[in-house]
């Protein structure tokens, strides 16, 4: 039988109570639970509302306020702009899948290193650092190609939408509206540029053009 997630209650005085150890804990203690990959849930002691996400966000905020933030201001601004956007759900899933894949690769590499060099060997971390250094230029190249392809696809979609919009509205008799391609023909007709030449017969039976 799977072990039930550790239950932590948050009281109105903002104190956190660990029901497993029957003691109050701090946000740093919750961070240690995260690092040890222990399943837990934080709930409001009065309403039983799930507060796990808000507690995790507090931990992230404290880490970002420390000396080595992970997210730049530009990245945070981009993330804020995704809220309320049609791509919000897709972006959240995209980031989640990439982080999971990243974590799985790190775990497998560490397992292989530990099997070869021992449990407490620091070589596993060195191998992971070397892997990231090796992958850096390759990932930048892949992301650069992906961005360029996305820009081209977006431009093609814009052109297609504009073309479809013109085709839709061409059939409507709007006042003072001349469909694209017909305004030049109308202008030539009005100025007589394309009018047929008028032939008259001059002396000697030769045709003269006025």
């Amino acid at each position: 039988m799977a072990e039930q997630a550790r239950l932590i209650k948050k009281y109105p005085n903002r104190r956190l109570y660990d029901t497993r150890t029957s003691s109050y804990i701090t946000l740093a203690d919750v961070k240690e639970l995260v690092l040890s990959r222990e399943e837990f849930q934080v709930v409001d002691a009065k309403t039983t509302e799930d507060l796990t996400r808000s507690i995790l966000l507090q931990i992230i905020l404290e880490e970002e306020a420390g000396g080595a933030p992970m997210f730049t201001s530009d990245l945070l601004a981009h993330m804020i702009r995704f809220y309320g956007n049609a791509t919000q759900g897709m972006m959240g899933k995209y980031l989640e899948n990439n982080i999971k894949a990243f974590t799985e690769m790190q775990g497998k590499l560490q397992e292989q290193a530990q099997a070869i060099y021992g449990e407490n060997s620091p070589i596993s971390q060195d191998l992971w650092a070397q892997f990231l250094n090796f992958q850096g230029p390759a990932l930048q190249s892949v992301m650069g190609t992906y961005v360029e392809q996305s820009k081209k696809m977006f431009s093609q979609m814009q052109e297609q939408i504009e073309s479809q919009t013109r085709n839709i509205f061409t059939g409507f008799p709007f006042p003072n509206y001349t469909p694209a391609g017909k305004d030049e023909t109308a202008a030539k007709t009005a100025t007589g540029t394309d009018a047929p030449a008028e032939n008259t017969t001059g002396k000697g039976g030769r045709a003269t053009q006025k």
Side-chain angles (χ1 to χ4, degrees):
M1 183 177 178
E3 186 178 0
Q4 189 176 4
R6 194 167 186 161
L7 184 63
I8 300 172
K9 295 182 178 181
K10 183 179 181 182
Y11 286 89
N13 58 5
R14 297 185 178 182
R15 297 190 69 182
L16 299 171
Y17 182 79
D18 189 346
T19 58
R20 180 173 297 180
T21 60
S22 300
S23 60
Y24 287 99
I25 61 175
T26 64
L27 208 60
D29 296 323
V30 179
K31 176 186 173 183
E32 290 300 321
L33 294 179
V34 175
L35 295 177
S36 61
R37 301 179 183 275
E38 185 167 352
E39 294 291 334
F40 66 90
Q41 182 184 23
V42 183
V43 298
D44 188 286
K46 185 176 181 180
T47 65
T48 67
E49 178 187 0
D50 192 348
L51 303 177
T52 308
R53 288 185 67 257
S54 63
I55 293 298
L56 294 175
L57 287 171
Q58 288 184 34
I59 295 174
I60 292 175
L61 183 61
E62 287 195 356
E63 292 295 322
E64 287 294 307
M70 185 181 302
F71 303 108
T72 64
S73 298
D74 288 340
L75 177 58
L76 291 173
H78 283 303
M79 293 176 66
I80 291 173
R81 295 187 188 103
F82 278 113
Y83 286 99
N85 194 289
T87 58
Q88 176 178 341
M90 181 189 71
M91 181 54 62
K93 197 65 179 177
Y94 172 80
L95 293 174
E96 182 179 354
N97 290 337
N98 277 271
I99 290 176
K100 284 183 178 179
F102 187 85
T103 305
E104 289 176 0
M105 285 191 298
Q106 185 182 27
K108 289 179 179 179
L109 188 62
Q110 288 177 346
E111 288 177 0
Q112 292 176 353
Q114 289 174 0
I116 298 174
Y117 300 105
E119 184 71 22
N120 299 321
S121 175
I123 295 180
S124 60
Q125 292 295 335
D126 294 338
L127 289 176
W128 179 246
Q130 293 175 14
F131 173 78
L132 292 181
N133 291 333
F134 176 77
Q135 288 294 316
L139 289 175
Q140 290 179 0
S141 176
V142 170
M143 288 303 297
T145 304
Y146 171 77
V147 170
E148 288 300 322
Q149 290 178 347
S150 298
K151 288 180 178 179
K152 290 180 180 179
M153 183 176 296
F154 182 73
S155 298
Q156 292 174 357
M157 289 178 62
Q158 279 187 314
E159 293 175 359
Q160 185 176 0
I161 291 173
E162 291 175 358
S163 176
Q164 292 176 350
T165 303
R166 285 195 298 266
N167 293 336
I168 290 174
F169 288 103
T170 298
F172 291 91
F174 291 112
N176 301 325
Y177 171 74
T178 304
K182 293 185 179 181
D183 51 350
E184 185 178 352
T185 303
K188 289 182 178 180
T189 303
T191 57
T193 305
D194 291 343
E198 182 180 355
N199 294 331
T200 58
T201 304
K203 295 180 180 181
R206 290 181 300 175
T208 59
Q209 189 180 67
K210 289 184 179 181

